[in-house]
Amino acid sequence: MSEPKKVSRRQFLNYTLTGLGGFMAAGMMAPMVRFAIDPVFKPAAAGDFHSVADVKEVTNEPQRFEWEVEQVDAWYESTIQKTAWVYRKEDDEIIALSPICTHLGCTVDWASNEEYPKQFFCPCHGGRYTKDGVNVPGTPPTAPLPVFETKVEDGMLYLGEEIAR
Amino acid sequence: MMKWAKKDLEQFVKEKEYIDTLFIPLIPIHTSIDEKMTGSGFQAELTNLFSRIIEEQFRGRIVLAPDYYYIAGNAEAEVDRVNNWIDSFTEKPFSYVFLFSFDRNWRKSESDLRGELLWFPGLRHGDLQSTETQSFVKEQAKEIVEIIKESWQT
């Protein structure tokens, strides 16, 4: 039967001090490491969705829906109002278009011009877009209206980021 | 409409050919009599709300001038100075000039103004956050939007 190894006083102190030092170093490093990689764990603000309407309200005809988002710049925190033209396509897909004219930024209206009852119309310079938001050639805008990311949860329509096309 | 701010005015300078309309809010200030003073503060806030809505709607064609403030009670005396503001845009005069105010005194001088007066009876007192004020603002703003559109069409 071998005798259990004896640990000298010196060895015991060495072990405990190394162990303790290790713990202290780890304790100091942890917040630094966390700080360095923290942004990785933050949910991307870009993926924010906002509840906008009951999906039952969405019809085949484009309608205006409004919602509010918080916006922070260097000086102010403010609430800004967002708007979208929302409708349901024949195949039931929900389309949400930004109302901001891609020409100079006026707000476009659906069917507001009698001559073009099935188009989006910009009152400023007569820019026009078809129902799917594509700009009509020969009018001032050079790009289609941006679309919002959409998702439906528990019967509510959520809109996310605008995607330029 | 473009605000009187660097970024917006840079866009204006670039896109001048498309921007032919000037919008000046005329805001009276009452400096004595407590009740009138607070009332004029409310009217100023209300005017700013309208400017913001009009701006959102028409930012590609209208320049929003800085607010024109004056001591309440003597709008007639301000006519020359307002006209000076309008005339000072000499390099590229605006085809359409709108003067927006809740001060009914402007109506007496309407014909002397070198711009179209958009006068509306405002609200004397109220709460900007109340649904009553919000629906008032939305309804009136619709009217203003229509008036501006009509002016462009003729």
Side-chain angles (χ1 to χ4, degrees):
Chain A
M1 227 163 96
S2 61
E3 265 185 38
K5 242 186 175 178
K6 289 240 168 77
V7 177
S8 74
R9 184 186 299 254
R10 184 184 296 266
Q11 270 175 320
F12 174 77
L13 274 172
N14 263 341
Y15 290 153
T16 43
L17 281 178
T18 321
L20 205 67
F23 268 119
M24 283 168 71
M28 280 164 66
M29 290 300 289
M32 291 193 219
V33 172
R34 218 197 110 75
F35 183 74
I37 60 171
D38 190 44
V40 179
F41 292 120
K42 262 193 194 145
D48 278 357
F49 276 85
H50 297 269
S51 126
V52 169
D54 193 319
V55 278
K56 288 193 206 99
E57 295 173 56
V58 180
T59 62
N60 292 111
E61 196 70 4
Q63 293 177 84
R64 264 183 95 118
F65 288 105
E66 294 174 347
W67 70 102
E68 282 173 349
V69 294
E70 298 294 324
Q71 184 180 278
V72 186
D73 73 6
W75 304 100
Y76 303 107
E77 194 178 319
S78 51
T79 309
I80 56 164
Q81 196 167 53
K82 304 272 280 177
T83 332
W85 285 103
V86 184
Y87 68 95
R88 197 184 281 279
K89 284 209 304 200
E90 305 305 320
D91 62 3
D92 246 22
E93 190 194 344
I94 291 177
I95 301 289
L97 296 167
S98 157
I100 311 296
C101 184
T102 56
H103 176 222
L104 288 174
C106 294
T107 305
V108 302
D109 273 327
W110 171 251
S112 62
N113 189 301
E114 287 160 15
E115 287 173 51
Y116 309 103
K118 290 277 170 224
Q119 291 186 347
F120 292 99
F121 183 77
C122 176
C124 286
H125 305 101
R128 287 184 279 129
Y129 305 83
T130 50
K131 191 176 177 182
D132 55 1
V134 174
N135 51 308
V136 174
T139 67
T142 52
L145 295 172
V147 285
F148 286 97
E149 296 175 313
T150 59
K151 89 180 170 192
V152 176
E153 251 170 45
D154 302 327
M156 287 296 287
L157 171 67
Y158 291 80
L159 297 186
E161 281 298 292
E162 275 172 53
I163 304 162
R165 294 187 284 175
Chain B
M1 118 179 70
M2 303 190 173
K3 293 186 287 282
W4 205 264
K6 184 183 169 217
K7 210 173 129 203
D8 287 13
L9 289 172
E10 278 170 352
Q11 197 192 356
F12 166 66
V13 170
K14 227 168 51 201
E15 310 282 1
K16 263 184 207 161
E17 53 175 320
Y18 289 108
I19 299 147
D20 61 356
T21 307
L22 180 68
F23 187 98
I24 312 178
L26 307 174
I27 307 178
I29 50 174
H30 285 271
T31 45
S32 57
I33 312 179
D34 296 352
E35 198 187 316
K36 289 200 159 179
M37 204 165 165
T38 55
S40 81
F42 176 67
Q43 304 255 320
E45 286 183 80
L46 203 60
T47 310
N48 286 328
L49 272 188
F50 279 99
S51 307
R52 235 171 64 188
I53 295 175
I54 304 296
E55 186 216 326
E56 259 178 32
Q57 190 80 29
F58 295 131
R59 57 173 301 118
R61 189 163 174 184
I62 300 187
V63 172
L64 170 62
D67 295 334
Y68 181 101
Y69 288 105
Y70 56 96
I71 306 296
N74 202 357
E76 284 106 318
E78 301 286 336
V79 171
D80 284 343
R81 207 172 141 238
V82 171
N83 283 336
N84 265 335
W85 270 42
I86 298 166
D87 293 343
S88 67
F89 292 92
T90 47
E91 198 197 319
K92 188 197 171 280
F94 291 96
S95 314
Y96 305 91
V97 178
F98 294 103
L99 304 164
F100 177 79
S101 187
F102 289 126
D103 182 354
R104 67 171 183 280
N105 292 308
W106 288 106
R107 297 175 65 222
K108 289 177 227 157
S109 332
E110 200 172 346
S111 54
D112 298 323
L113 289 166
R114 288 203 265 283
E116 188 178 339
L117 180 66
L118 298 174
W119 172 81
F120 284 88
L123 296 172
R124 230 164 258 273
H125 280 282
D127 173 8
L128 283 189
Q129 305 305 325
S130 75
T131 46
E132 188 196 353
T133 310
Q134 280 174 15
S135 61
F136 165 81
V137 169
K138 279 190 179 153
E139 282 308 304
Q140 294 280 57
K142 257 188 222 162
E143 286 295 304
I144 301 168
V145 163
E146 286 310 313
I147 291 174
I148 293 175
K149 279 197 218 168
E150 275 169 28
S151 304
W152 282 341
Q153 274 158 22
T154 50

